[in-house]
Amino acid sequence: MSDTVDTASRLPDDRELLPVATGADTRAAVRRLLRPHRWRAVVTVAVLVAGSAVALLVAPLLGRIVDIVVSGSGSAAVVGPAVLIAVVAVVAGLLTTVGMSLLVGLGERLLARLREQFVDRALALPLEQVERAGGGDLTARVTGDVAVVGEAVRGAVPKLARAGMTIVLTLLAMGALDWRFLAVALLAVPIQIHTARWYVRNAGPVYARQRVAEGGLQQQLLDTVGGAATVRAFLLADDHVDRVRGRSLTAVDLVLRGIRLMTRFYARLNLAEFVGLAAVLVTGFLLVGNGSVTAGTATAAALYFHSLFGPISSALVTIDEALSAGASLARIVGVAELPTPNEPEKRALPVDGSVKVVDVHHAYRANRPVLHGVDLDIGAAERVALVGASGAGKTTLAKLIAGVHRPSGGSISLGGVGIDELGPELARQTVVLVTQEVHVFAGTLADDLRLARPDATEAQLREALAIVDALEWADALPDGLATTVGEGAHSLSVTQAQQLALARLALADPPVAILDEATAEAGSAGARVLEAAATRALAGRTGLMVAHRMTQAATADRVVVLDAGRVVEIGRHDELVASGGRYAALWEAWSATRT
Amino acid sequence: MSSSDRGPVTGAAVLRAAIVEQRRDVVVSSLLAAGQQAGSALVPVLIGVIVDVAVTSGSPSLLILWIGVLAANFVVLSYSYRFSVRAAERAAEHAEHDLRLRLTHRVLHPGGGAGGGRLSGELVNISTSDAKRVGTANVVVPFGVAAIIAVLVSAVVLLTISVPLGLLVLLGTPPLLLLTHYASKPLERRSEAEQERAAHASGVAADLVAGLRVLKGLGAERTAVQRYRHTSQQSLVATLRTARAYAAQGGVVETSSGVFIAIVALVGGLLAADGAISVGQLVSTVGLALFLQIPLSTTGWTTIEFAQARASAARIAAVLSAPPAVPAGAGVAPEPVRGALRLRGVTQGLLHDVDLDVAPGELLGVVSPSPAIARALLACLAREVDPEQGTVELDDVPLAALDPAAVRAAVLVATHDAVLFAGTLLENVTAAGAEGAADITAALVAAAADEVADSLPDGVDSTIGEQGSSLSGGQRQRVALARALAAGRPVLVLHDPTTAVDSVTESRIAGALRRIRHGRTTVVVTTSPALLAVTDRVVLLDGDGVRCEGRHADLVESHADYRETVLT
């Protein structure tokens, strides 16, 4: 699947979108999803064909009534065909109900499976890849694209299936009336095929650009609305309204361009309708004239053809929806079919909480190395502070040890076992990373905590909250631990959210914990609360703290000073202060203002 | 354009304006759509006429004449459709665009208050989905008008053919549609529940994706996936139930319309057999009975779409008419601004009875043990709120008497949680207006943001992603500080500007801050000793107002509470 990356998905501002599946890969993925349900699929098609076929009996029955009238065989004879039309309606209605129910049910099952697979893979994606694509890409796929495909499964797909069957069966029925009707009706087909191909060729690119433009608009609105307070403070409203206007006008322009294409498409279809209808009517006139068909048959043929207008339009109208659903599907499959991360065949268990980093190099982008050969040994239950200027590579090192990224070179082992031999599953149980980023998951507070340990009892949850000094406010929430928190519900302060992150750490109870600037976002006053909480949450485990506040460094067992991607000093706080090196300078700058 | 100046807006007014402002396109589209519908109604009639010609006269010239009429009819209906849809969609898109801009204006209005507790995602949704729904009214109106005209045309034709048959079709169709409508009633309720479920499933997924970094750090991906699978399966069960109901409704519609056609065919057949109508008229009647269902069901669709547009318009109106958090004042801002701040008896939230004077050009440190007190002070200084009690004055003019935008042109409050915007580093720094290249460089250097630029591939021209997502916390903070310094406001209030910056850089920033703001009033709300050490004076604020004031070094010596707040 490595060749599925669509190069057209590169954005002008150098973002690299997540992979989009090719048409062939998308079809293969759908076939794989369909395989477990193939008998359901066969029955579904059979029922729908039967339903459409029965419904087609209406036109010849109407023709029969015309014939009875023309032949003057008396009004009583009209009753029989009329009753049959009613019977046909009831049977066709029943078959439609069953068939549609089966069809949509099938589609929904496939969609549910696909979206679950998508989330499964999306959460396994390396963070670098997600970041390169921009935060909006994954979100847009999981909300927008899944919704578009869902609508297609409920609307376009059944519509298309029914219309397609009706068209084919109607044409067959016309042929059964008289082959010449079918022959002239097919005069419309070249025009329709040409039109459809013209449309797909032209509309595809326009829709693709339309989606990009709409994504851009959405992103701009998020940026502007989310940053409204900043916009007001810096008086940037005019600039931001202009940005929104620009993005919105681009989107509007592309939508209208799509509409112009669509209306030209229908105009061409009208031509096909006229050509076919006129041909059938003229043929009927001639065949009735030379006595080879009755007026009733000619009527049935004309009614058949007229009744095709609806299904053909509806089939071709759904080309629109099908195209955009296809594009969305390719974007979902592109992620859902990514290979699963390999679990190693035999797994070694970490013996303790020690961490060993040997000659680790890393670069996010080629030629821009962030780490140059870092060596680091941390003993079990040791607490190490990582110190250095912004951009020295502290966060990168933290993420590498946590297994979030894989180093470009060198090796990292936890408890004496290389991270690769541990496999993602075991590595996750061994090391937990708490970052400066806070996210409170939507759901109850208890659910949020149980992400770290699904089987935790209420008592364990309370204990974890108590460790980080959060039990008091958690109990004070409207429904205690059952309070719904997160987006759209009870909102927590940054400090509370960080306490929650530390409580999750305590619950997960890993031998190794890494804290990266976990106190920075809370502001200087909240930071002290969090520092105390972090100290308690780290008790008994190996701790690596990316420290900005020097108090964190001063209380650590050892301090590692990182500078421009290299370890420049390692040692105990007082040793390093005494040695007069880089750490001493940092300490000096910090403590100078405190005396 | 700024709607918030117009007072409260109702949903009905928003919807009406969206249509009226696009009236030219809407009227043109309606007329053309009516033409298209009339043309479509005539197609089955013409089929009947041509069948009649074949059965009765067999005259080729008559056939050619009527085929010509059919062709003309197709030309009319085709072009009517084409330009009707274009006009309608143009009207819809323009109305949507206008609403989006009005909403953006309102949300960014200096008076604030538009959020009203809404999440930003919800506001974005209102400016996209709801604006689209309201815009769609401009498509609904022409189609509704056209459907009514189509029904009228069909009625005239049917009654001309035969009064009893015409009445049968005209009176029979509405009950048929009512039946359909009735069958779909429980469905609508169920569909709302389904949408909620589906929205919940997609909400859970989006939430997990948003918290991806946290999940990764915690190693909770597996648990999260299992949780999502559960939600997804629940959603599937609900959706399947709805799908069956939908299918049943479809079946009912198909059956009832089929039975109706059978009745029309029976009555028409009997009339034709008795010679009351011709064969062609029978064919036309059946054709029209089939056709009529389309415009009549369009009117049903119209009502549903309109109800949705009304609901969306109400949500939009709620944002547009939300009262500003602070009223615009009529007073004149001091010119030039000397930068004297005076707070008298200011009470706001946990901030209690604060008296404070900041001299022009002073560099003042404000220390508070409580983040809530700091935030309340910042909100008052930025005039995001007017204090519950007391006054804040700038150069002897009360802030409450000024337009909030005028306040912010003089006083910049750079909060800790200020965001960066998509664009280059330089665009972010210069966004709030920097006077010249020298000032920009000075601001970049003072905030140590030049080092951030040096570490990026294209220097200051590197794009930094939405909300500065490609930068680390410390880098973001320095760029944001450079932006605040580059704005060059007469009064600058900084809130915890260096919490994620290492201590060497922090002390360098502190020194540079003093130099770059020399002669202009600057307030730093922080507990960082490095920053406080360079201030002229520090005040300690707590729940009882100003606890103590003096030079940082003196307070560290003399004041135990101060020492504890700042040094531990």
Side-chain angles (χ1 to χ4, degrees):
Chain A
M1 299 292 279
S2 57
D3 58 346
T4 60
V5 181
D6 180 359
T7 47
S9 61
R10 264 189 161 270
L11 295 185
D13 57 352
D14 204 37
R15 271 188 289 176
E16 190 185 313
L17 290 185
L18 295 166
V20 175
T22 62
D25 286 332
T26 308
R27 283 189 293 277
V30 170
R31 272 198 300 278
R32 263 196 302 284
L33 286 169
L34 200 53
R35 203 167 295 143
H37 302 287
R38 55 183 173 279
W39 287 112
R40 179 184 282 271
V42 169
V43 172
T44 305
V45 172
V47 172
L48 283 175
V49 168
S52 301
V54 170
L56 286 179
L57 293 173
V58 172
L61 286 168
L62 286 170
R64 176 90 195 101
I65 293 176
V66 168
D67 280 341
I68 290 165
V69 172
V70 171
S71 67
S73 52
S75 44
V78 173
V79 178
V83 169
L84 278 178
I85 293 176
V87 172
V88 162
V90 173
V91 175
L94 276 175
L95 288 170
T96 306
T97 304
V98 176
M100 288 313 234
S101 169
L102 285 171
L103 182 64
V104 177
L106 183 65
E108 292 287 355
R109 283 185 175 84
L110 300 192
L111 180 67
R113 182 77 202 91
L114 184 64
R115 68 182 173 218
E116 286 159 23
Q117 200 179 326
F118 177 89
V119 169
D120 186 276
R121 298 298 190 283
L123 295 189
L125 278 176
L127 274 181
E128 298 115 292
Q129 205 176 349
V130 176
E131 270 154 24
R132 267 206 306 278
D137 191 18
L138 202 55
T139 311
R141 291 188 196 209
V142 84
T143 54
D145 289 325
V146 169
V148 167
V149 175
E151 270 164 37
V153 161
R154 273 153 238 154
V157 170
K159 222 195 272 179
L160 206 57
R162 281 207 72 192
M165 281 175 201
T166 307
I167 293 166
V168 171
L169 292 172
T170 305
L171 289 174
L172 289 177
M174 283 181 80
L177 291 177
D178 191 296
W179 66 269
R180 282 163 289 196
F181 284 127
L182 175 60
V184 296
L186 292 179
L187 283 177
V189 173
I191 307 177
Q192 282 157 343
I193 289 179
H194 179 261
T195 304
R197 290 171 77 168
W198 167 84
Y199 183 63
V200 170
R201 197 170 54 241
N202 288 284
V206 172
Y207 284 122
R209 287 176 59 196
Q210 196 176 313
R211 295 180 71 80
V212 171
E214 278 169 1
L217 171 62
Q218 184 92 4
Q219 192 68 60
Q220 184 59 56
L221 282 167
L222 273 172
D223 216 26
T224 295
V225 173
T230 307
V231 171
R232 282 198 294 269
F234 285 85
L235 298 176
L236 304 177
D238 290 343
D239 174 39
H240 275 259
V241 169
D242 282 345
R243 289 183 187 206
V244 171
R245 180 182 292 119
R247 296 277 194 176
S248 176
L249 282 178
T250 310
V252 165
D253 182 56
L254 283 165
V255 169
L256 292 181
R257 203 176 300 179
I259 294 290
R260 278 198 295 279
L261 274 175
M262 189 197 80
T263 51
R264 279 166 69 190
F265 169 70
Y266 278 112
R268 293 177 185 207
L269 282 189
N270 285 148
L271 176 65
E273 285 171 1
F274 169 73
V275 167
L277 183 59
V280 169
L281 286 170
V282 170
T283 308
F285 178 87
L286 296 173
L287 294 178
V288 171
N290 68 20
S292 51
V293 303
T294 65
T297 308
T299 305
L303 288 181
Y304 267 147
F305 195 81
H306 184 235
S307 74
L308 279 180
F309 289 10
I312 288 176
S313 290
S314 118
L316 293 175
V317 124
T318 41
I319 284 188
D320 249 31
E321 268 181 77
L323 275 181
S324 63
S328 287
L329 188 62
R331 282 153 54 88
I332 299 173
V333 170
V335 172
E337 291 285 310
L338 287 174
T340 35
N342 288 330
E343 289 288 337
E345 297 196 353
K346 37 176 207 205
R347 293 197 261 183
L349 288 172
V351 293
D352 57 13
S354 67
V355 176
K356 193 173 175 66
V357 176
V358 180
D359 193 30
V360 160
H361 293 257
H362 194 67
Y364 292 105
R365 272 182 294 242
N367 305 325
R368 297 203 67 87
V370 184
L371 295 180
H372 312 264
V374 171
D375 292 300
L376 184 59
D377 263 312
I378 307 178
E382 190 185 12
R383 187 163 312 170
V384 171
L386 199 53
V387 177
S390 296
K394 303 186 297 288
T395 295
T396 304
L397 183 59
K399 283 183 172 171
L400 292 178
I401 297 176
V404 171
H405 300 315
R406 293 165 60 94
S408 319
S411 75
I412 295 172
S413 26
L414 301 174
V417 184
I419 257 190
D420 285 340
E421 285 107 81
L422 276 179
E425 182 80 32
L426 209 50
R428 294 267 175 271
Q429 291 167 19
T430 312
V431 57
V432 161
L433 168 72
V434 177
T435 65
Q436 55 190 313
E437 194 178 348
V438 290
H439 183 84
V440 177
F441 292 92
T444 68
L445 187 64
D447 278 349
D448 184 296
L449 290 171
R450 284 201 177 101
L451 276 173
R453 195 202 251 185
D455 56 353
T457 63
E458 176 92 10
Q460 285 169 320
L461 298 184
R462 298 180 62 83
E463 192 192 325
L465 286 170
I467 288 175
V468 299
D469 211 8
L471 190 56
E472 203 177 317
W473 62 254
D475 275 334
L477 292 175
D479 298 313
L481 267 60
T483 307
T484 306
V485 292
E487 176 95 10
H490 191 97
S491 81
L492 301 178
S493 74
V494 179
T495 310
Q496 289 173 328
Q498 278 288 10
Q499 282 174 306
L500 215 51
L502 291 169
R504 289 191 212 113
L505 164 67
L507 272 174
D509 196 20
V512 184
I514 299 173
L515 305 187
D516 179 13
E517 297 185 333
T519 59
E521 295 278 319
S524 48
R528 263 184 296 281
V529 178
L530 290 174
E531 256 174 52
T535 307
R536 285 191 298 273
L538 281 180
R541 31 186 139 259
T542 310
L544 180 66
M545 296 175 295
V546 176
H548 280 293
R549 293 174 55 87
M550 298 302 284
T551 41
Q552 288 173 299
T555 55
D557 296 331
R558 260 193 315 160
V559 176
V560 174
V561 183
L562 212 58
D563 186 41
R566 288 187 175 83
V567 174
V568 291
E569 284 170 30
I570 298 189
R572 289 211 325 276
H573 167 74
D574 39 356
E575 286 170 9
L576 291 181
V577 170
S579 74
R582 197 161 157 81
Y583 181 77
L586 284 165
W587 179 254
E588 172 71 18
W590 185 81
S591 52
T593 56
R594 282 167 167 72
T595 48
Chain B
M1 199 68 184
S2 180
S3 55
S4 53
D5 301 340
R6 290 187 211 153
V9 196
T10 63
V14 167
L15 184 55
R16 204 177 319 120
I19 298 169
V20 171
E21 278 164 17
Q22 309 295 332
R23 58 186 169 274
R24 244 201 68 206
D25 275 336
V26 173
V27 169
V28 167
S29 175
S30 302
L31 291 174
L32 290 172
Q36 186 252 340
Q37 286 285 308
S40 301
L42 283 177
V43 172
V45 176
L46 289 171
I47 291 175
V49 169
I50 292 168
V51 169
D52 245 357
V53 169
V55 174
T56 53
S57 70
S59 148
S61 54
L62 265 183
L63 174 74
I64 291 165
L65 171 69
W66 284 110
I67 292 286
V69 173
L70 186 66
N73 186 49
F74 263 96
V75 169
V76 171
L77 77 88
S78 181
Y79 276 90
S80 307
Y81 170 79
R82 189 162 173 177
F83 293 104
S84 145
V85 168
R86 285 185 192 182
E89 293 286 349
R90 197 162 49 229
E93 287 294 319
H94 287 168
E96 182 187 340
H97 172 78
D98 288 349
L99 280 172
R100 186 143 54 225
L101 286 192
R102 280 179 69 185
L103 284 162
T104 309
H105 261 291
R106 176 60 196 97
V107 169
L108 301 181
H109 189 274
R118 291 177 195 86
L119 294 163
S120 51
E122 200 180 337
L123 282 172
V124 170
N125 213 22
I126 290 175
S127 11
T128 50
S129 304
D130 285 323
K132 182 176 270 315
R133 283 238 166 97
V134 173
T136 305
N138 285 337
V139 178
V140 173
V141 168
F143 278 58
V145 169
I148 292 169
I149 297 208
V151 172
L152 291 178
V153 169
S154 308
V156 171
V157 174
L158 282 170
L159 291 172
T160 318
I161 290 171
S162 153
V163 174
L165 200 54
L167 285 179
L168 172 67
V169 174
L170 291 176
L171 299 179
T173 312
L176 185 68
L177 289 164
L178 272 182
L179 175 74
T180 318
H181 181 68
Y182 198 71
S184 66
K185 258 284 165 225
L187 205 61
E188 269 168 42
R189 279 199 300 276
R190 207 178 277 194
S191 147
E192 272 166 36
E194 177 210 356
Q195 274 170 3
E196 245 163 64
R197 291 265 190 165
H200 183 60
S202 101
V204 169
D207 187 50
L208 292 176
V209 168
L212 188 57
R213 286 184 190 80
V214 177
L215 287 177
K216 292 256 176 206
L218 200 55
E221 298 102 313
R222 183 62 64 90
T223 314
V225 165
Q226 273 159 6
R227 195 171 283 182
Y228 178 68
R229 191 161 291 159
H230 180 69
T231 310
S232 161
Q233 287 298 321
Q234 269 184 332
S235 162
L236 175 63
V237 170
T239 324
L240 286 180
R241 213 176 301 136
T242 316
R244 280 192 285 274
Y246 263 111
Q249 190 220 0
V252 169
V253 172
E254 188 167 339
T255 305
S256 47
S257 88
V259 170
F260 179 60
I261 294 301
I263 295 169
V264 172
L266 176 65
V267 175
L270 293 174
L271 286 171
D274 291 347
I277 61 172
S278 73
V279 171
Q281 284 172 329
L282 169 63
V283 174
S284 301
T285 307
V286 172
L288 277 174
L290 282 166
F291 166 79
L292 253 186
Q293 293 178 16
I294 299 168
L296 280 171
S297 64
T298 303
T299 56
W301 169 78
T302 315
T303 36
I304 294 170
E305 287 287 315
F306 236 92
Q308 286 184 340
R310 256 202 306 275
S312 288
R315 278 193 285 277
I316 290 173
V319 175
L320 290 181
S321 62
V326 289
V332 183
E335 182 62 43
V337 180
R338 286 184 302 121
L341 286 173
R342 184 190 301 139
L343 283 73
R344 282 292 171 270
V346 171
T347 296
Q348 167 69 22
L350 293 178
L351 195 67
H352 183 71
D353 198 19
V354 172
D355 289 332
L356 180 63
D357 285 280
V358 189
E362 187 178 6
L363 175 53
L364 176 75
V366 175
V367 174
S368 175
S370 148
I373 291 178
R375 278 198 301 274
L377 176 69
L378 295 165
C380 290
L381 291 177
R383 206 173 171 236
E384 287 280 342
V385 295
D386 287 330
E388 292 153 17
Q389 281 171 33
T391 56
V392 181
E393 291 175 10
L394 171 68
D395 294 351
D396 304 322
V397 181
L399 294 189
L402 296 174
D403 189 81
V407 171
R408 287 166 212 152
V411 181
L412 171 60
V413 176
T415 55
H416 180 68
D417 55 4
V419 298
L420 298 178
F421 296 106
T424 68
L425 191 154
L426 189 63
E427 281 166 3
N428 268 284
V429 170
T430 55
E435 278 117 52
D439 286 349
I440 297 164
T441 312
L444 283 169
V445 172
D450 52 339
E451 291 170 12
V452 178
D454 290 344
S455 72
L456 297 173
D458 303 318
V460 292
D461 295 320
S462 310
T463 48
I464 56 175
E466 63 256 15
Q467 282 157 39
S469 56
S470 63
L471 301 180
S472 78
Q475 291 177 320
R476 267 204 294 273
Q477 224 174 22
R478 292 192 268 172
V479 174
L481 177 59
R483 174 176 66 181
L485 294 174
R489 298 280 190 268
V491 179
L492 175 63
V493 182
L494 295 170
H495 174 214
D496 273 339
T498 52
T499 43
V501 177
D502 64 276
S503 53
V504 171
T505 311
E506 185 181 37
S507 54
R508 227 174 56 223
I509 289 174
L513 175 67
R514 193 174 169 83
R515 281 192 297 280
I516 198 171
R517 292 294 301 171
H518 180 76
R520 288 178 292 186
T521 310
T522 309
V523 178
V524 188
V525 180
T526 183
T527 56
S528 156
L531 291 171
L532 293 169
V534 302
T535 57
D536 298 320
R537 183 171 59 115
V538 181
V539 297
L540 175 65
L541 282 186
D542 66 11
D544 299 322
V546 177
R547 270 291 289 283
C548 64
E549 61 173 280
R551 292 198 51 90
H552 169 69
D554 300 338
L555 288 176
V556 169
E557 289 282 311
S558 64
H559 207 281
D561 283 354
Y562 181 80
R563 198 162 46 237
E564 190 186 329
T565 308
V566 173
L567 293 189
T568 49

